[in-house]
């Protein structure tokens, strides 16, 4: 399993544990699939998020910026 799919699965499981409704879970799943696809399609982004050169804080900042730009929940 790829790194992006592992994170997506973990986030989806976390959403389920919050007891979200089916519609909300579907929205989370769609958003995660879209986000994972962006990582898969962008080698530079994948390198930053999966590589050893960026700190955890830097990676978190990149993810937060992406989520904001993509208007993901």
């Amino acid at each position: 399993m790829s790194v992006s799919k592992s994170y997506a699965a973990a986030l989806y499981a976390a959403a389920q544990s919050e007891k979200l409704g089916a519609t909300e879970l579907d929205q989370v799943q769609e958003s995660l699939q879209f986000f994972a696809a962006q990582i898969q399609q962008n080698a530079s982004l994948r390198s930053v998020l999966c590589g050893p050169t960026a700190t955890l804080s830097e990676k978190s900042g990149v993810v937060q910026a992406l989520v904001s730009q993509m208007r993901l929940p």
Side-chain angles (χ1 to χ4, degrees):
M1 184 182 290
S2 70
V3 172
S4 60
K5 287 183 182 179
S6 296
Y7 280 111
L11 288 171
Y12 187 72
Q16 283 182 311
S17 73
E18 291 293 319
K19 301 185 191 307
L20 300 178
T23 301
E24 294 159 318
L25 285 175
D26 286 344
Q27 290 173 341
V28 169
Q29 182 179 14
E30 289 174 16
S31 295
L32 292 173
Q33 287 173 333
F34 178 77
F35 187 76
Q38 300 311 302
I39 294 170
Q40 289 280 334
Q41 295 169 7
N42 187 319
S44 297
L45 177 60
R46 195 170 49 252
S47 177
V48 168
L49 295 179
C50 301
T53 53
T55 66
L56 181 58
S57 177
E58 291 168 333
K59 292 177 184 184
S60 178
V62 168
V63 169
Q64 289 176 7
L66 288 172
V67 167
S68 176
Q69 287 178 356
M70 289 186 227
R71 298 185 181 142
L72 297 176

Short mmCIF file of all heavy atoms in Angstrom, two decimals:
data_model
loop_
_atom_site.label_atom_id
_atom_site.label_comp_id
_atom_site.label_asym_id
_atom_site.label_seq_id
_atom_site.Cartn_x
_atom_site.Cartn_y
_atom_site.Cartn_z
N MET A 1 0.86 -1.18 0.00
CA MET A 1 0.00 0.00 0.00
C MET A 1 0.90 1.23 0.00
O MET A 1 1.87 1.31 0.73
CB MET A 1 -0.91 -0.03 1.23
CG MET A 1 -1.90 1.09 1.27
SD MET A 1 -2.98 1.15 2.73
CE MET A 1 -4.02 -0.26 2.46
N SER A 2 0.53 2.21 -0.82
CA SER A 2 1.32 3.44 -0.89
C SER A 2 1.12 4.27 0.38
O SER A 2 0.16 4.07 1.12
CB SER A 2 0.92 4.25 -2.11
OG SER A 2 -0.37 4.78 -1.93
N VAL A 3 2.03 5.20 0.56
CA VAL A 3 1.96 6.07 1.74
C VAL A 3 0.66 6.86 1.74
O VAL A 3 -0.03 6.95 2.76
CB VAL A 3 3.17 7.02 1.78
CG1 VAL A 3 3.02 8.06 2.86
CG2 VAL A 3 4.45 6.23 1.98
N SER A 4 0.30 7.40 0.59
CA SER A 4 -0.92 8.22 0.54
C SER A 4 -2.16 7.39 0.85
O SER A 4 -3.07 7.84 1.54
CB SER A 4 -1.06 8.90 -0.81
OG SER A 4 -1.11 7.95 -1.85
N LYS A 5 -2.19 6.15 0.37
CA LYS A 5 -3.33 5.29 0.65
C LYS A 5 -3.37 4.90 2.12
O LYS A 5 -4.44 4.78 2.71
CB LYS A 5 -3.32 4.06 -0.25
CG LYS A 5 -3.67 4.37 -1.68
CD LYS A 5 -3.71 3.14 -2.53
CE LYS A 5 -4.04 3.48 -3.97
NZ LYS A 5 -4.06 2.30 -4.82
N SER A 6 -2.21 4.70 2.73
CA SER A 6 -2.15 4.38 4.16
C SER A 6 -2.71 5.52 4.99
O SER A 6 -3.51 5.30 5.90
CB SER A 6 -0.70 4.09 4.58
OG SER A 6 -0.21 2.97 3.94
N TYR A 7 -2.30 6.75 4.66
CA TYR A 7 -2.80 7.91 5.38
C TYR A 7 -4.30 8.09 5.14
O TYR A 7 -5.05 8.41 6.07
CB TYR A 7 -2.05 9.19 5.00
CG TYR A 7 -0.71 9.32 5.68
CD1 TYR A 7 0.46 9.20 4.96
CD2 TYR A 7 -0.64 9.56 7.04
CE1 TYR A 7 1.69 9.32 5.59
CE2 TYR A 7 0.58 9.67 7.68
CZ TYR A 7 1.74 9.56 6.95
OH TYR A 7 2.96 9.67 7.57
N ALA A 8 -4.72 7.90 3.91
CA ALA A 8 -6.14 8.05 3.60
C ALA A 8 -6.97 7.04 4.38
O ALA A 8 -8.02 7.38 4.93
CB ALA A 8 -6.37 7.89 2.10
N ALA A 9 -6.49 5.80 4.45
CA ALA A 9 -7.22 4.77 5.19
C ALA A 9 -7.29 5.11 6.67
O ALA A 9 -8.33 4.95 7.31
CB ALA A 9 -6.56 3.41 4.98
N ALA A 10 -6.20 5.61 7.21
CA ALA A 10 -6.17 5.98 8.63
C ALA A 10 -7.11 7.15 8.92
O ALA A 10 -7.84 7.14 9.91
CB ALA A 10 -4.75 6.32 9.06
N LEU A 11 -7.11 8.14 8.05
CA LEU A 11 -7.99 9.28 8.24
C LEU A 11 -9.46 8.89 8.09
O LEU A 11 -10.32 9.37 8.83
CB LEU A 11 -7.63 10.40 7.26
CG LEU A 11 -6.33 11.11 7.57
CD1 LEU A 11 -5.95 12.04 6.42
CD2 LEU A 11 -6.41 11.89 8.87
N TYR A 12 -9.73 8.02 7.16
CA TYR A 12 -11.10 7.55 6.98
C TYR A 12 -11.57 6.78 8.21
O TYR A 12 -12.69 6.97 8.69
CB TYR A 12 -11.22 6.70 5.71
CG TYR A 12 -12.64 6.34 5.38
CD1 TYR A 12 -13.51 7.30 4.88
CD2 TYR A 12 -13.11 5.05 5.54
CE1 TYR A 12 -14.82 6.98 4.56
CE2 TYR A 12 -14.42 4.72 5.23
CZ TYR A 12 -15.27 5.68 4.74
OH TYR A 12 -16.56 5.36 4.44
N ALA A 13 -10.69 5.95 8.76
CA ALA A 13 -11.03 5.21 9.98
C ALA A 13 -11.29 6.17 11.14
O ALA A 13 -12.21 5.96 11.94
CB ALA A 13 -9.91 4.23 10.33
N ALA A 14 -10.50 7.24 11.21
CA ALA A 14 -10.71 8.23 12.26
C ALA A 14 -12.06 8.92 12.09
O ALA A 14 -12.76 9.16 13.08
CB ALA A 14 -9.58 9.27 12.24
N ALA A 15 -12.42 9.20 10.86
CA ALA A 15 -13.73 9.82 10.60
C ALA A 15 -14.85 8.88 11.02
O ALA A 15 -15.86 9.32 11.60
CB ALA A 15 -13.85 10.19 9.13
N GLN A 16 -14.68 7.59 10.74
CA GLN A 16 -15.70 6.61 11.15
C GLN A 16 -15.83 6.57 12.67
O GLN A 16 -16.92 6.45 13.20
CB GLN A 16 -15.35 5.22 10.63
CG GLN A 16 -15.64 5.04 9.16
CD GLN A 16 -15.32 3.63 8.70
OE1 GLN A 16 -14.24 3.12 8.97
NE2 GLN A 16 -16.26 3.02 8.02
N SER A 17 -14.71 6.67 13.37
CA SER A 17 -14.75 6.60 14.83
C SER A 17 -15.46 7.82 15.43
O SER A 17 -15.92 7.76 16.56
CB SER A 17 -13.34 6.47 15.41
OG SER A 17 -12.63 7.69 15.31
N GLU A 18 -15.54 8.90 14.66
CA GLU A 18 -16.27 10.09 15.12
C GLU A 18 -17.77 9.93 14.92
O GLU A 18 -18.54 10.85 15.20
CB GLU A 18 -15.77 11.33 14.37
CG GLU A 18 -14.36 11.73 14.72
CD GLU A 18 -14.23 12.22 16.15
OE1 GLU A 18 -15.11 12.95 16.63
OE2 GLU A 18 -13.23 11.85 16.79
N LYS A 19 -18.18 8.77 14.40
CA LYS A 19 -19.59 8.44 14.20
C LYS A 19 -20.30 9.42 13.27
O LYS A 19 -21.42 9.87 13.53
CB LYS A 19 -20.32 8.32 15.53
CG LYS A 19 -19.72 7.26 16.44
CD LYS A 19 -20.54 7.10 17.69
CE LYS A 19 -19.90 6.26 18.75
NZ LYS A 19 -19.42 5.00 18.52
N LEU A 20 -19.60 9.76 12.18
CA LEU A 20 -20.20 10.62 11.18
C LEU A 20 -21.25 9.83 10.41
O LEU A 20 -21.17 8.61 10.29
CB LEU A 20 -19.13 11.14 10.21
CG LEU A 20 -18.00 11.97 10.82
CD1 LEU A 20 -17.01 12.36 9.76
CD2 LEU A 20 -18.55 13.20 11.52
N GLY A 21 -22.23 10.52 9.85
CA GLY A 21 -23.26 9.88 9.05
C GLY A 21 -22.71 9.42 7.71
O GLY A 21 -21.60 9.79 7.30
N ALA A 22 -23.50 8.64 6.99
CA ALA A 22 -23.07 8.07 5.71
C ALA A 22 -22.70 9.16 4.70
O ALA A 22 -21.69 9.04 4.01
CB ALA A 22 -24.16 7.17 5.16
N THR A 23 -23.49 10.22 4.64
CA THR A 23 -23.21 11.29 3.69
C THR A 23 -21.89 11.98 4.03
O THR A 23 -21.08 12.25 3.14
CB THR A 23 -24.36 12.32 3.68
OG1 THR A 23 -25.57 11.66 3.33
CG2 THR A 23 -24.08 13.45 2.71
N GLU A 24 -21.69 12.25 5.31
CA GLU A 24 -20.45 12.89 5.74
C GLU A 24 -19.25 11.99 5.48
O GLU A 24 -18.20 12.46 5.06
CB GLU A 24 -20.54 13.26 7.22
CG GLU A 24 -21.59 14.32 7.50
CD GLU A 24 -22.02 14.31 8.95
OE1 GLU A 24 -22.21 13.22 9.52
OE2 GLU A 24 -22.17 15.41 9.51
N LEU A 25 -19.40 10.68 5.74
CA LEU A 25 -18.30 9.74 5.48
C LEU A 25 -17.99 9.67 3.99
O LEU A 25 -16.82 9.60 3.60
CB LEU A 25 -18.64 8.35 6.01
CG LEU A 25 -18.55 8.17 7.52
CD1 LEU A 25 -19.03 6.78 7.91
CD2 LEU A 25 -17.13 8.40 8.01
N ASP A 26 -19.02 9.72 3.16
CA ASP A 26 -18.80 9.73 1.71
C ASP A 26 -18.01 10.97 1.29
O ASP A 26 -17.12 10.90 0.45
CB ASP A 26 -20.12 9.67 0.96
CG ASP A 26 -20.78 8.30 1.00
OD1 ASP A 26 -20.09 7.31 1.35
OD2 ASP A 26 -21.99 8.22 0.71
N GLN A 27 -18.35 12.12 1.88
CA GLN A 27 -17.63 13.35 1.57
C GLN A 27 -16.17 13.27 2.01
O GLN A 27 -15.27 13.70 1.29
CB GLN A 27 -18.31 14.55 2.24
CG GLN A 27 -19.64 14.89 1.65
CD GLN A 27 -20.38 15.96 2.43
OE1 GLN A 27 -20.09 16.23 3.60
NE2 GLN A 27 -21.36 16.59 1.79
N VAL A 28 -15.93 12.68 3.19
CA VAL A 28 -14.56 12.49 3.67
C VAL A 28 -13.80 11.57 2.72
O VAL A 28 -12.67 11.86 2.32
CB VAL A 28 -14.54 11.93 5.11
CG1 VAL A 28 -13.15 11.49 5.52
CG2 VAL A 28 -15.09 12.95 6.09
N GLN A 29 -14.44 10.49 2.32
CA GLN A 29 -13.79 9.54 1.42
C GLN A 29 -13.44 10.20 0.08
O GLN A 29 -12.33 10.04 -0.41
CB GLN A 29 -14.69 8.33 1.18
CG GLN A 29 -14.03 7.29 0.28
CD GLN A 29 -14.91 6.07 0.06
OE1 GLN A 29 -16.10 6.08 0.37
NE2 GLN A 29 -14.31 5.03 -0.44
N GLU A 30 -14.36 10.94 -0.48
CA GLU A 30 -14.11 11.62 -1.75
C GLU A 30 -12.97 12.62 -1.62
O GLU A 30 -12.10 12.72 -2.50
CB GLU A 30 -15.37 12.32 -2.25
CG GLU A 30 -16.44 11.36 -2.73
CD GLU A 30 -17.74 12.06 -3.07
OE1 GLU A 30 -17.75 13.31 -3.23
OE2 GLU A 30 -18.76 11.37 -3.19
N SER A 31 -12.95 13.36 -0.53
CA SER A 31 -11.90 14.34 -0.30
C SER A 31 -10.54 13.67 -0.16
O SER A 31 -9.54 14.13 -0.71
CB SER A 31 -12.19 15.17 0.95
OG SER A 31 -13.35 15.94 0.77
N LEU A 32 -10.51 12.57 0.58
CA LEU A 32 -9.25 11.85 0.77
C LEU A 32 -8.75 11.23 -0.53
O LEU A 32 -7.56 11.25 -0.81
CB LEU A 32 -9.41 10.78 1.85
CG LEU A 32 -9.62 11.31 3.26
CD1 LEU A 32 -9.93 10.17 4.21
CD2 LEU A 32 -8.40 12.09 3.73
N GLN A 33 -9.67 10.71 -1.33
CA GLN A 33 -9.27 10.14 -2.61
C GLN A 33 -8.71 11.23 -3.52
O GLN A 33 -7.70 11.01 -4.20
CB GLN A 33 -10.46 9.44 -3.28
CG GLN A 33 -10.81 8.13 -2.60
CD GLN A 33 -12.08 7.51 -3.14
OE1 GLN A 33 -12.96 8.18 -3.64
NE2 GLN A 33 -12.16 6.19 -3.03
N PHE A 34 -9.32 12.39 -3.51
CA PHE A 34 -8.84 13.51 -4.31
C PHE A 34 -7.45 13.93 -3.83
O PHE A 34 -6.54 14.13 -4.63
CB PHE A 34 -9.82 14.68 -4.23
CG PHE A 34 -9.36 15.89 -4.99
CD1 PHE A 34 -9.47 15.92 -6.37
CD2 PHE A 34 -8.83 16.97 -4.33
CE1 PHE A 34 -9.04 17.04 -7.08
CE2 PHE A 34 -8.39 18.09 -5.03
CZ PHE A 34 -8.50 18.13 -6.40
N PHE A 35 -7.29 14.05 -2.53
CA PHE A 35 -6.00 14.46 -1.95
C PHE A 35 -4.92 13.43 -2.28
O PHE A 35 -3.81 13.79 -2.69
CB PHE A 35 -6.14 14.64 -0.44
CG PHE A 35 -4.92 15.23 0.20
CD1 PHE A 35 -4.64 16.57 0.07
CD2 PHE A 35 -4.05 14.43 0.93
CE1 PHE A 35 -3.51 17.12 0.66
CE2 PHE A 35 -2.92 14.98 1.52
CZ PHE A 35 -2.65 16.32 1.39
N ALA A 36 -5.23 12.16 -2.14
CA ALA A 36 -4.27 11.10 -2.46
C ALA A 36 -3.88 11.13 -3.93
O ALA A 36 -2.71 10.95 -4.28
CB ALA A 36 -4.86 9.73 -2.09
N ALA A 37 -4.85 11.41 -4.79
CA ALA A 37 -4.56 11.49 -6.22
C ALA A 37 -3.61 12.65 -6.52
O ALA A 37 -2.72 12.52 -7.37
CB ALA A 37 -5.86 11.66 -7.01
N GLN A 38 -3.77 13.76 -5.81
CA GLN A 38 -2.88 14.90 -6.02
C GLN A 38 -1.44 14.54 -5.65
O GLN A 38 -0.50 14.91 -6.33
CB GLN A 38 -3.34 16.11 -5.20
CG GLN A 38 -4.73 16.60 -5.54
CD GLN A 38 -4.95 16.77 -7.03
OE1 GLN A 38 -4.24 17.50 -7.69
NE2 GLN A 38 -5.94 16.07 -7.55
N ILE A 39 -1.29 13.79 -4.56
CA ILE A 39 0.04 13.35 -4.14
C ILE A 39 0.62 12.38 -5.17
O ILE A 39 1.79 12.48 -5.54
CB ILE A 39 0.00 12.73 -2.74
CG1 ILE A 39 -0.38 13.79 -1.70
CG2 ILE A 39 1.34 12.10 -2.38
CD1 ILE A 39 -0.68 13.25 -0.33
N GLN A 40 -0.20 11.46 -5.66
CA GLN A 40 0.24 10.48 -6.64
C GLN A 40 0.70 11.16 -7.93
O GLN A 40 1.67 10.74 -8.55
CB GLN A 40 -0.89 9.50 -6.96
CG GLN A 40 -1.22 8.54 -5.86
CD GLN A 40 -0.26 7.37 -5.81
OE1 GLN A 40 0.32 7.01 -6.81
NE2 GLN A 40 -0.12 6.79 -4.64
N GLN A 41 0.00 12.19 -8.34
CA GLN A 41 0.25 12.83 -9.63
C GLN A 41 1.37 13.87 -9.60
O GLN A 41 1.83 14.28 -10.65
CB GLN A 41 -1.04 13.50 -10.13
CG GLN A 41 -2.13 12.51 -10.43
CD GLN A 41 -3.48 13.17 -10.68
OE1 GLN A 41 -3.59 14.39 -10.76
NE2 GLN A 41 -4.52 12.36 -10.81
N ASN A 42 1.80 14.29 -8.43
CA ASN A 42 2.79 15.35 -8.33
C ASN A 42 4.06 14.82 -7.66
O ASN A 42 4.11 14.66 -6.44
CB ASN A 42 2.21 16.52 -7.53
CG ASN A 42 3.10 17.73 -7.52
OD1 ASN A 42 4.31 17.62 -7.40
ND2 ASN A 42 2.49 18.90 -7.65
N ALA A 43 5.08 14.56 -8.48
CA ALA A 43 6.32 13.98 -7.97
C ALA A 43 7.01 14.88 -6.94
O ALA A 43 7.56 14.38 -5.95
CB ALA A 43 7.27 13.67 -9.13
N SER A 44 6.97 16.19 -7.14
CA SER A 44 7.60 17.11 -6.19
C SER A 44 6.90 17.07 -4.85
O SER A 44 7.55 17.02 -3.80
CB SER A 44 7.59 18.54 -6.74
OG SER A 44 8.34 18.62 -7.91
N LEU A 45 5.60 17.09 -4.89
CA LEU A 45 4.82 17.02 -3.65
C LEU A 45 5.07 15.70 -2.94
O LEU A 45 5.29 15.67 -1.73
CB LEU A 45 3.33 17.18 -3.96
CG LEU A 45 2.36 17.05 -2.79
CD1 LEU A 45 2.65 18.10 -1.72
CD2 LEU A 45 0.93 17.17 -3.29
N ARG A 46 5.05 14.63 -3.69
CA ARG A 46 5.30 13.30 -3.12
C ARG A 46 6.69 13.24 -2.49
O ARG A 46 6.87 12.70 -1.40
CB ARG A 46 5.14 12.24 -4.22
CG ARG A 46 5.01 10.85 -3.73
CD ARG A 46 4.62 9.85 -4.82
NE ARG A 46 5.42 9.95 -6.03
CZ ARG A 46 4.99 10.44 -7.20
NH1 ARG A 46 3.76 10.89 -7.32
NH2 ARG A 46 5.79 10.48 -8.24
N SER A 47 7.67 13.84 -3.14
CA SER A 47 9.03 13.86 -2.62
C SER A 47 9.12 14.60 -1.29
O SER A 47 9.78 14.14 -0.35
CB SER A 47 9.96 14.51 -3.65
OG SER A 47 11.27 14.60 -3.15
N VAL A 48 8.43 15.74 -1.21
CA VAL A 48 8.45 16.53 0.03
C VAL A 48 7.76 15.76 1.16
O VAL A 48 8.29 15.66 2.27
CB VAL A 48 7.77 17.90 -0.18
CG1 VAL A 48 7.52 18.59 1.15
CG2 VAL A 48 8.62 18.77 -1.08
N LEU A 49 6.58 15.23 0.87
CA LEU A 49 5.80 14.58 1.93
C LEU A 49 6.33 13.20 2.33
O LEU A 49 6.15 12.80 3.48
CB LEU A 49 4.33 14.46 1.50
CG LEU A 49 3.59 15.78 1.33
CD1 LEU A 49 2.17 15.52 0.87
CD2 LEU A 49 3.61 16.60 2.60
N CYS A 50 6.96 12.51 1.40
CA CYS A 50 7.41 11.15 1.68
C CYS A 50 8.91 11.04 1.89
O CYS A 50 9.40 10.01 2.34
CB CYS A 50 6.99 10.21 0.55
SG CYS A 50 5.22 10.16 0.28
N GLY A 51 9.62 12.09 1.56
CA GLY A 51 11.08 12.05 1.66
C GLY A 51 11.60 12.47 3.02
O GLY A 51 10.85 12.99 3.85
N PRO A 52 12.88 12.28 3.24
CA PRO A 52 13.48 12.56 4.55
C PRO A 52 13.96 14.00 4.75
O PRO A 52 14.37 14.36 5.85
CB PRO A 52 14.68 11.61 4.58
CG PRO A 52 15.10 11.51 3.15
CD PRO A 52 13.81 11.57 2.36
N THR A 53 13.91 14.83 3.71
CA THR A 53 14.53 16.16 3.83
C THR A 53 13.68 17.18 4.58
O THR A 53 14.23 18.04 5.26
CB THR A 53 14.89 16.72 2.44
OG1 THR A 53 13.73 16.68 1.62
CG2 THR A 53 16.00 15.91 1.80
N ALA A 54 12.37 17.11 4.46
CA ALA A 54 11.50 18.07 5.14
C ALA A 54 11.21 17.59 6.56
O ALA A 54 11.07 16.39 6.80
CB ALA A 54 10.20 18.24 4.37
N THR A 55 11.11 18.55 7.47
CA THR A 55 10.77 18.21 8.85
C THR A 55 9.27 17.92 8.94
O THR A 55 8.51 18.26 8.03
CB THR A 55 11.09 19.37 9.80
OG1 THR A 55 10.22 20.48 9.49
CG2 THR A 55 12.55 19.80 9.70
N LEU A 56 8.87 17.32 10.02
CA LEU A 56 7.45 17.04 10.24
C LEU A 56 6.64 18.33 10.23
O LEU A 56 5.55 18.40 9.66
CB LEU A 56 7.25 16.29 11.57
CG LEU A 56 5.83 15.90 11.92
CD1 LEU A 56 5.22 15.02 10.84
CD2 LEU A 56 5.81 15.19 13.25
N SER A 57 7.18 19.37 10.81
CA SER A 57 6.51 20.67 10.84
C SER A 57 6.34 21.22 9.43
O SER A 57 5.28 21.76 9.09
CB SER A 57 7.31 21.65 11.70
OG SER A 57 6.72 22.91 11.69
N GLU A 58 7.36 21.09 8.60
CA GLU A 58 7.28 21.56 7.22
C GLU A 58 6.24 20.75 6.43
O GLU A 58 5.45 21.31 5.67
CB GLU A 58 8.64 21.47 6.54
CG GLU A 58 9.65 22.46 7.10
CD GLU A 58 11.07 22.20 6.65
OE1 GLU A 58 11.43 21.04 6.35
OE2 GLU A 58 11.84 23.18 6.61
N LYS A 59 6.26 19.44 6.63
CA LYS A 59 5.29 18.58 5.94
C LYS A 59 3.88 18.93 6.37
O LYS A 59 2.97 19.00 5.54
CB LYS A 59 5.59 17.10 6.23
CG LYS A 59 6.87 16.61 5.61
CD LYS A 59 7.16 15.17 5.98
CE LYS A 59 8.50 14.74 5.42
NZ LYS A 59 8.78 13.33 5.68
N SER A 60 3.69 19.18 7.64
CA SER A 60 2.37 19.56 8.15
C SER A 60 1.91 20.87 7.53
O SER A 60 0.76 21.01 7.15
CB SER A 60 2.43 19.68 9.67
OG SER A 60 1.20 20.10 10.18
N GLY A 61 2.82 21.81 7.41
CA GLY A 61 2.49 23.09 6.78
C GLY A 61 2.08 22.94 5.33
O GLY A 61 1.14 23.58 4.86
N VAL A 62 2.78 22.06 4.61
CA VAL A 62 2.45 21.80 3.20
C VAL A 62 1.05 21.20 3.10
O VAL A 62 0.23 21.62 2.29
CB VAL A 62 3.50 20.88 2.55
CG1 VAL A 62 3.03 20.38 1.20
CG2 VAL A 62 4.84 21.60 2.41
N VAL A 63 0.78 20.22 3.95
CA VAL A 63 -0.54 19.56 3.92
C VAL A 63 -1.64 20.57 4.28
O VAL A 63 -2.68 20.63 3.61
CB VAL A 63 -0.58 18.34 4.87
CG1 VAL A 63 -2.00 17.82 5.04
CG2 VAL A 63 0.33 17.25 4.34
N GLN A 64 -1.40 21.38 5.29
CA GLN A 64 -2.41 22.38 5.68
C GLN A 64 -2.67 23.37 4.56
O GLN A 64 -3.82 23.74 4.29
CB GLN A 64 -1.97 23.11 6.95
CG GLN A 64 -2.05 22.24 8.18
CD GLN A 64 -1.53 22.95 9.42
OE1 GLN A 64 -1.23 24.13 9.42
NE2 GLN A 64 -1.41 22.19 10.51
N ALA A 65 -1.62 23.80 3.88
CA ALA A 65 -1.78 24.72 2.76
C ALA A 65 -2.57 24.08 1.62
O ALA A 65 -3.43 24.71 1.01
CB ALA A 65 -0.42 25.19 2.27
N LEU A 66 -2.26 22.82 1.33
CA LEU A 66 -2.98 22.11 0.27
C LEU A 66 -4.45 21.94 0.60
O LEU A 66 -5.32 22.16 -0.25
CB LEU A 66 -2.34 20.75 0.02
CG LEU A 66 -0.99 20.76 -0.67
CD1 LEU A 66 -0.39 19.37 -0.68
CD2 LEU A 66 -1.13 21.29 -2.08
N VAL A 67 -4.74 21.54 1.82
CA VAL A 67 -6.13 21.35 2.24
C VAL A 67 -6.89 22.67 2.12
O VAL A 67 -8.02 22.70 1.64
CB VAL A 67 -6.19 20.79 3.66
CG1 VAL A 67 -7.60 20.87 4.24
CG2 VAL A 67 -5.69 19.35 3.68
N SER A 68 -6.25 23.74 2.49
CA SER A 68 -6.87 25.06 2.41
C SER A 68 -7.12 25.45 0.95
O SER A 68 -8.21 25.92 0.61
CB SER A 68 -5.98 26.10 3.08
OG SER A 68 -6.51 27.38 2.93
N GLN A 69 -6.13 25.25 0.10
CA GLN A 69 -6.27 25.61 -1.32
C GLN A 69 -7.30 24.75 -2.03
O GLN A 69 -8.01 25.22 -2.90
CB GLN A 69 -4.92 25.48 -2.04
CG GLN A 69 -3.95 26.56 -1.69
CD GLN A 69 -2.61 26.38 -2.38
OE1 GLN A 69 -2.38 25.40 -3.08
NE2 GLN A 69 -1.73 27.34 -2.18
N MET A 70 -7.37 23.48 -1.65
CA MET A 70 -8.32 22.57 -2.28
C MET A 70 -9.70 22.68 -1.67
O MET A 70 -10.64 22.06 -2.13
CB MET A 70 -7.84 21.11 -2.15
CG MET A 70 -6.66 20.79 -2.99
SD MET A 70 -6.33 19.04 -2.87
CE MET A 70 -4.59 19.05 -2.59
N ARG A 71 -9.81 23.45 -0.60
CA ARG A 71 -11.07 23.63 0.11
C ARG A 71 -11.65 22.30 0.59
O ARG A 71 -12.85 22.04 0.44
CB ARG A 71 -12.06 24.41 -0.73
CG ARG A 71 -11.56 25.79 -1.04
CD ARG A 71 -12.58 26.61 -1.76
NE ARG A 71 -11.99 27.91 -2.03
CZ ARG A 71 -12.19 28.59 -3.14
NH1 ARG A 71 -12.97 28.11 -4.06
NH2 ARG A 71 -11.63 29.76 -3.31
N LEU A 72 -10.78 21.48 1.13
CA LEU A 72 -11.22 20.20 1.66
C LEU A 72 -11.70 20.39 3.10
O LEU A 72 -11.21 21.27 3.80
CB LEU A 72 -10.07 19.19 1.64
CG LEU A 72 -9.51 18.83 0.27
CD1 LEU A 72 -8.31 17.89 0.41
CD2 LEU A 72 -10.57 18.20 -0.60
N PRO A 73 -12.62 19.57 3.54
CA PRO A 73 -13.10 19.69 4.92
C PRO A 73 -12.04 19.26 5.93
O PRO A 73 -11.15 18.51 5.61
CB PRO A 73 -14.32 18.76 4.96
CG PRO A 73 -14.16 17.83 3.82
CD PRO A 73 -13.29 18.52 2.82
#
